[in-house]
């Protein structure tokens, strides 16, 4: 893990963000605070941040909106703070790109452990290609508009992708030729807390193959590496 991780705490409640920042600093981390999405953007533009702890319920641009923006433009790890206990609310947070979530009221010791775990996971993953956050990726007979999350074939026919399928495809396209284990794909696409079963990745790969392979029973793009995981074997061009 990084020697002194820099954590950005974004929460509109002063007592929460300042108390959490002080706790993190007492435990060997650097901490910056922001009381809104606008303030968070200023901090991110001025300093290198390693992870964002982000409150969901904020006035104006809320945490889910900021999370969605950060995931579209950066690879920063994100942990959501939410007072909502319903399972659907936690799923929404993970679907927009959060790596983990903690329900308020929270134990700061638990949150510290989660921060360390997410940072450790993010730095153990194979790096992706240095590509712009939005644009067109071309492979085989396909064009993927990453901004619109739109997959189109050579005849202009759009194929719909679920959120999970889009993230899986992006993880593979950013690392062509690399063997990615199921654990790594879980981290890259959904976060380990959201889907605890490795079989979930196999099912996702199967569904994606049916959409992009010429013959899903004899795949040439997403290749299984026995005992290792999966590898994207196609040529990828950045449009």
């Amino acid at each position: 893990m990084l020697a002194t991780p820099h954590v950005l705490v974004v929460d509109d409640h002063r007592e929460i963000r300042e108390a959490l920042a002080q706790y993190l600093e007492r435990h060997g981390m650097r901490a910056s605070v922001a009381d809104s999405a606008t303030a968070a953007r200023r901090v991110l533009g001025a300093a290198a941040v390693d992870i964002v702890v982000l409150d969901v319920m904020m006035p104006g641009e809320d945490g889910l909106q900021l999370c969605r923006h950060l995931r579209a433009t950066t690879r920063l790890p994100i942990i959501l703070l939410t007072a909502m206990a319903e399972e659907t609310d936690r799923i929404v947070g993970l679907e927009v790109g959060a790596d983990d979530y903690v329900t308020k009221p929270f134990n700061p010791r638990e949150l510290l452990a989660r921060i360390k775990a997410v940072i450790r996971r993010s730095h153990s993953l194979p790096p992706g290609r240095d590509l712009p956050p939005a644009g067109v990726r071309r492979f085989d007979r396909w064009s993927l508009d990453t901004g619109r999350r739109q997959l189109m074939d050579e005849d202009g026919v759009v194929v719909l992708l679920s959120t999970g399928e889009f993230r899986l495809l992006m993880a593979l396209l950013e690392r062509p030729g690399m063997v990615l284990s199921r654990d790594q794909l879980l981290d890259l696409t959904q976060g380990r807390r959201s889907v605890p079963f490795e079989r979930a990745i196999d099912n996702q790969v199967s569904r994606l193959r049916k959409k992009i392979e010429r013959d899903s029973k004899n795949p040439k793009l997403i290749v299984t590496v026995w005992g290792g995981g999966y590898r994207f074997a196609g040529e990828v061009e950045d449009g």
Side-chain angles (χ1 to χ4, degrees):
M1 196 176 76
L2 299 175
T4 309
H6 186 186
V7 184
L8 172 58
V9 180
V10 188
D11 197 305
D12 60 315
H13 291 91
R14 179 178 178 181
E15 298 81 2
I16 293 176
R17 66 175 182 268
E18 293 193 353
L20 179 55
Q22 291 171 7
Y23 181 85
L24 294 175
E25 289 178 344
R26 288 200 304 270
H27 289 80
M29 296 190 174
R30 295 168 55 208
S32 295
V33 297
D35 61 0
S36 66
T38 300
R41 292 172 192 268
R42 286 198 296 267
V43 175
L44 292 168
V49 171
D50 298 301
I51 187 169
V52 179
V53 177
L54 177 59
D55 184 32
V56 169
M57 299 298 292
M58 295 189 299
E61 183 181 2
D62 65 21
L64 293 179
Q65 291 172 301
L66 180 57
C67 179
R68 187 179 290 110
H69 167 76
L70 292 176
R71 186 51 65 241
T73 57
T74 76
R75 293 191 177 95
L76 272 177
I78 301 167
I79 296 178
L80 291 180
L81 299 179
T82 174
M84 302 175 183
E86 291 81 2
E87 183 70 19
T88 54
D89 295 312
R90 297 196 293 269
I91 292 172
V92 168
L94 293 166
E95 284 181 343
V96 299
D99 296 273
D100 203 347
Y101 63 86
V102 175
T103 303
K104 291 180 177 180
F106 58 85
N107 184 320
R109 183 177 178 182
E110 179 189 357
L111 178 54
L112 176 63
R114 298 279 186 89
I115 290 171
K116 290 180 177 179
V118 170
I119 291 175
R120 186 165 53 247
R121 288 207 311 266
S122 67
H123 284 269
S124 68
L125 293 172
R129 297 166 64 198
D130 188 14
L131 297 172
V136 177
R137 314 284 188 262
R138 294 189 175 91
F139 61 98
D140 194 51
R141 67 189 191 279
W142 300 101
S143 295
L144 177 66
D145 186 325
T146 62
R148 297 181 179 180
R149 298 193 173 194
Q150 187 178 79
L151 181 66
M152 184 181 300
D153 70 9
E154 57 197 349
D155 297 320
V157 177
V158 174
V159 174
L160 297 178
L161 296 175
S162 69
T163 297
E165 290 164 352
F166 172 78
R167 289 185 182 169
L168 174 60
L169 182 55
M170 283 294 294
L172 294 167
L173 294 182
E174 290 176 347
R175 299 163 180 81
M178 294 185 186
V179 178
L180 298 172
S181 70
R182 291 172 176 83
D183 280 352
Q184 289 173 329
L185 287 171
L186 280 171
D187 285 333
L188 287 166
T189 59
Q190 301 179 61
R192 297 308 305 277
R193 284 175 49 80
S194 59
V195 182
F197 305 110
E198 289 188 352
R199 186 63 184 171
I201 286 295
D202 295 331
N203 293 336
Q204 198 85 273
V205 167
S206 178
R207 289 193 294 270
L208 185 56
R209 278 173 170 167
K210 290 177 182 178
K211 294 185 177 182
I212 69 173
E213 296 280 3
R214 298 176 189 271
D215 178 4
S216 62
K217 295 183 179 179
N218 185 29
K220 301 297 184 183
L221 295 174
I222 305 176
V223 178
T224 300
V225 179
W226 299 111
Y230 296 99
R231 176 174 62 86
F232 190 82
E235 295 281 338
V236 181
E237 297 179 357
D238 180 34

